[in-house]
Amino acid sequence: MNADNTRRANAQLLGELKVAQGKAPSYLYYFTWRSPVHHGQLKSYHTLDIPFAFYNIDLAASMTGAGNERWALAHKVSAAYAAFARTGNPNHPDLPNWPAFNLNSVRR
């Protein structure tokens, strides 16, 4: 919990600073998928999103497990990263609308 509190606070601060620049939008996410490895004890830990972002969940089975349900999430996450790299916006047809970060969306 402590790691979550500090990392999330720092990510939100970066989002706030980006909004204050008044140029390109900022997009934040909170990855809550829970890893099934070690009987689910690890839950959703820092860096768990990386195999999904790069669509290499089989290479990271020690983090993601081996279930088929992870493929749909890997598609959505990796497509969002690719869309963001191409356009500066993570939205794509397989996701609901992902609004840009704004100061009203801060969860403290």
Side-chain angles (χ1 to χ4, degrees), residues 2-46:
N2 186 40
D4 176 60
N5 290 340
T6 57
R7 286 186 178 92
R8 187 177 346 161
N10 288 336
Q12 288 177 337
L13 176 59
L14 287 174
E16 291 171 18
L17 293 171
K18 184 67 178 165
V19 168
Q21 288 178 328
K23 296 183 180 183
S26 178
Y27 295 87
L28 276 66
Y29 66 93
Y30 189 56
F31 195 77
T32 60
W33 186 82
R34 292 182 171 209
S35 173
V37 301
H38 300 291
H39 307 289
Q41 292 175 340
L42 299 176
K43 300 179 182 170
S44 183
Y45 56 90
H46 181 64

Side-chain angles (χ1 to χ4, degrees), residues 54-105:
F54 293 101
Y55 208 73
N56 59 9
I57 55 176
D58 275 345
L59 292 173
S62 65
M63 298 169 68
T64 66
N68 287 332
E69 74 285 347
R70 61 202 171 115
W71 288 103
L73 180 58
H75 164 71
K76 290 177 183 178
V77 174
S78 65
Y81 268 69
F84 184 77
R86 279 192 305 273
T87 68
N89 184 324
N91 283 292
H92 63 86
D94 296 327
L95 281 182
N97 181 55
W98 185 339
F101 177 80
N102 66 67
L103 299 179
N104 295 326
S105 64

